Amino acid sequence: METESVYLFNGKRFIEHANFKEFKDQIQKKLNYNDDSAESLTQFYENYYEKKGNSDDFNELNRTLFENVMYGRLTNIFVHKISDPSSLGIDLFKKAAKKIIDSFKVSAPITIQDLMSVNGFYLLDGMSVPKIGSNFIAGFDYKQDGSQVTEVRFLVGRSVTLKKAKETYPGYMLGAVEINLKKKICSIFVKHTSNVLDEGDEAIKSVQGYHKFILQNFVLPLTINLVESDAEARKEMIEKDRQGMFEFCKSLYEELIDDVRTEVLTSAEKDVISVTRKIVRILKELGKKPTLEQQSILSTKINYLILGLHVENNISDKEMAQKAVEKDLLGFPTNIDYKNSRMNRSSTGTSVKSKPIAKSETLYSLLTDFEKARMLNKWSLSWFRDPKNKNEDEIEQTSIESTSFGLHIRFKGRNFLGKELIQHVIGTIDQCRS
């Protein structure tokens, strides 16, 4: 008499990192399977196993959960440039991957250690790591083209004590890495960790510290070289990044404001010329006459102030965002932080994701300085969630900062993000950075 196998979902600590609705929608699309009776991931998994058993589709169920967690709420993304190689030989890759996996295997439950294969695994449904301070691998996969590995992904975690309000409870701090050798991009995903009370390695508790931990333990062991590992290359990369971010931000702003600027400046052109001349005459009588360059800057600043007043009084935030939709833009800038030609730091804009910087009154008094800067250290950009079906009410705001270790992209909202949105943002930023 055969013993009936019983399945129990053992990944309860991953639930707070997942989005159940999105997970169900994906399973509906991929497997044409729906379960309206399930009220949680636990129930969904256990119902599925009871109906389908451990079928080939069960692996797809686990892959979907893996991606749901990896691309869901790991809101800090560090984007690195890979200098070489553009691919990895499968045999050497598997040797390196085995060393990485073996070094973390001890933290996994004994019952699933044998499942941690160099051929890939998704263990979120069976992973329970109760020991505080333990680091583990919850999922790993890769793609190859012939004998060459082209993409690698790891989802990793650390068992910690978390605090919510006045209560403490055991949970996971998660991170991930996605290496695309064809595109020469290495992306590391980390969740904000302010509610972690773990008394272990303090460095890992910070976003930057956990990023470094993943870099050292999952990227460098694969003999992947990053551009910033070389001092001279890093210096050049930072300069190119900041130039690229400036051009990207400026192009979005100019597309958004171009038609209004042409209308306003054309209407005010004669009066601006007249006012500029009067001011120059007054300044000449008071002392030294402004140079031709200074006169041109004065005229430009007057134009920009007039433009700013017109925008502030006549175009609402929603109308400006709708213009971005109509012009088929990726989104719109909401904040800029830069150094001017005198190395003074300036910042303008808002933290409100639905308020384009083109509506910031202060911007127009700083615009000549900003255009001269040619580099942008940090800025915020609101992206339309669906690039193919843009809607000014469906946006996600990011801050983008150029640092000595690459670009740091932070999603500011609390919504589920998703693989498509994250890869769209990373790909767009990478194309603009150089």
Side-chain angles (χ1 to χ4, degrees):
M1 181 176 180
E2 291 186 5
T3 304
E4 184 179 352
S5 62
V6 177
Y7 172 84
L8 294 175
F9 182 81
N10 204 27
K12 293 180 176 60
R13 292 189 190 176
F14 289 102
I15 289 177
E16 67 174 288
H17 299 278
N19 184 292
F20 184 41
K21 180 182 181 305
E22 293 288 341
F23 173 79
K24 288 199 298 182
D25 289 346
Q26 287 294 314
I27 294 301
Q28 171 71 44
K29 292 176 184 176
K30 292 178 179 181
L31 302 179
N32 194 28
Y33 174 85
N34 194 28
D35 184 357
D36 291 329
S37 67
E39 297 181 356
S40 66
L41 263 173
T42 299
Q43 192 175 0
F44 188 96
Y45 258 82
E46 292 176 355
N47 288 352
Y48 187 92
Y49 190 89
E50 185 177 341
K51 294 174 184 177
K52 304 278 188 176
N54 191 14
S55 62
D56 291 339
D57 287 346
F58 200 77
N59 189 58
E60 188 58 46
L61 201 72
N62 284 332
R63 188 205 319 272
T64 302
L65 181 58
F66 168 82
E67 292 191 344
N68 184 278
V69 171
M70 178 169 175
Y71 301 107
R73 290 296 304 138
L74 302 182
T75 50
N76 287 273
I77 304 174
F78 298 87
V79 184
H80 300 272
K81 275 282 191 186
I82 297 173
S83 56
D84 63 85
S86 57
S87 62
L88 291 170
I90 185 66
D91 293 335
L92 289 176
F93 166 75
K94 283 191 172 183
K95 285 181 181 179
K98 186 178 186 304
K99 288 183 179 179
I100 294 171
I101 293 166
D102 286 348
S103 66
F104 288 91
K105 187 177 285 189
V106 66
S107 297
I110 295 176
T111 53
I112 64 173
Q113 286 184 9
D114 289 343
L115 301 177
M116 299 179 72
S117 164
V118 291
N119 295 317
F121 53 86
Y122 310 111
L123 302 177
L124 283 74
D125 70 310
M127 178 73 75
S128 178
V129 183
K131 185 179 178 182
I132 299 301
S134 296
N135 298 299
F136 58 86
I137 304 173
F140 155 67
D141 64 9
Y142 63 90
K143 292 181 181 179
Q144 64 185 102
D145 183 1
S147 63
Q148 301 297 307
V149 174
T150 56
E151 295 181 43
V152 184
R153 298 188 298 184
F154 282 99
L155 176 64
V156 304
R158 180 177 175 86
S159 184
V160 295
T161 301
L162 299 172
K163 183 177 182 180
K164 189 173 184 180
K166 294 183 179 180
E167 295 184 3
T168 61
Y169 60 99
Y172 295 148
M173 182 172 69
L174 299 182
V177 60
E178 177 184 76
I179 301 167
N180 190 314
L181 291 159
K182 282 188 174 180
K183 295 181 179 178
K184 290 186 173 292
I185 302 174
C186 171
S187 306
I188 293 177
F189 309 81
V190 181
K191 183 74 167 64
H192 185 56
T193 53
S194 61
N195 61 334
V196 175
L197 297 181
D198 178 23
E199 296 179 355
D201 189 342
E202 288 294 319
I204 294 180
K205 285 174 61 176
S206 71
V207 167
Q208 290 79 8
Y210 203 27
H211 154 256
K212 186 177 180 181
F213 172 82
I214 294 172
L215 190 65
Q216 290 177 337
N217 289 277
F218 295 92
V219 179
L220 300 183
L222 294 174
T223 65
I224 291 172
N225 296 317
L226 305 179
V227 172
E228 63 262 28
S229 61
D230 178 80
E232 284 300 316
R234 179 171 65 247
K235 184 178 179 182
E236 183 180 353
M237 179 197 71
I238 294 170
E239 185 172 330
K240 285 186 175 181
D241 280 354
R242 293 177 180 178
Q243 288 173 349
M245 293 304 98
F246 171 85
E247 294 297 340
F248 183 28
C249 177
K250 186 168 179 282
S251 68
L252 289 172
Y253 162 76
E254 288 185 338
E255 284 273 2
L256 200 55
I257 207 71
D258 189 56
D259 54 345
V260 180
R261 176 167 54 189
T262 300
E263 179 186 5
V264 171
L265 300 191
T266 300
S267 301
E269 184 179 12
K270 291 182 180 178
D271 292 315
V272 171
I273 292 172
S274 176
V275 168
T276 303
R277 285 174 177 169
K278 287 179 182 179
I279 294 173
V280 169
R281 282 199 299 269
I282 292 170
L283 292 173
K284 183 180 178 182
E285 291 172 2
L286 292 173
K288 191 174 181 180
K289 180 182 177 181
T291 65
L292 290 177
E293 183 183 4
Q294 289 171 333
Q295 291 176 43
S296 176
I297 292 172
L298 174 62
S299 177
T300 301
K301 286 192 172 184
I302 293 172
N303 276 319
Y304 283 156
L305 289 172
I306 293 170
L307 176 61
L309 287 171
H310 174 78
V311 170
E312 182 69 23
N313 293 327
N314 295 281
I315 305 176
S316 68
D317 294 344
K318 190 172 181 64
E319 288 171 331
M320 190 63 80
Q322 178 58 32
K323 283 187 66 178
V325 174
E326 293 168 358
K327 288 179 173 289
D328 198 29
L329 301 182
L330 297 165
F332 47 84
T334 59
N335 188 281
I336 54 175
D337 187 336
Y338 65 97
K339 287 183 179 179
N340 62 25
S341 57
R342 296 176 298 279
M343 297 306 291
N344 295 322
R345 188 169 179 174
S346 297
S347 178
T348 186
T350 175
S351 60
V352 180
K353 70 176 183 178
S354 58
K355 187 177 179 66
I357 199 171
K359 278 286 294 170
S360 170
E361 185 179 356
T362 315
L363 171 66
Y364 298 93
S365 64
L366 296 172
L367 207 47
T368 50
D369 267 359
F370 172 61
E371 290 179 340
K372 281 183 177 180
R374 311 304 301 171
M375 292 191 186
L376 193 55
N377 298 2
K378 184 178 181 179
W379 61 303
S380 294
L381 172 61
S382 286
W383 303 75
F384 296 116
R385 277 197 68 100
D386 184 353
K388 297 177 183 177
N389 185 27
K390 299 179 176 70
N391 186 323
E392 74 272 14
D393 294 322
E394 295 181 7
I395 52 180
E396 292 295 336
Q397 190 183 40
T398 59
S399 68
I400 304 162
E401 184 173 8
S402 170
T403 71
S404 61
F405 45 82
L407 285 174
H408 179 190
I409 302 170
R410 182 170 69 88
F411 284 86
K412 295 184 177 181
R414 296 185 176 182
N415 298 324
F416 175 83
L417 299 172
K419 181 179 179 180
E420 291 77 12
L421 175 62
I422 286 179
Q423 292 190 336
H424 166 63
V425 169
I426 292 173
T428 302
I429 291 295
D430 184 71
Q431 287 176 4
C432 296
R433 65 189 300 192
S434 58

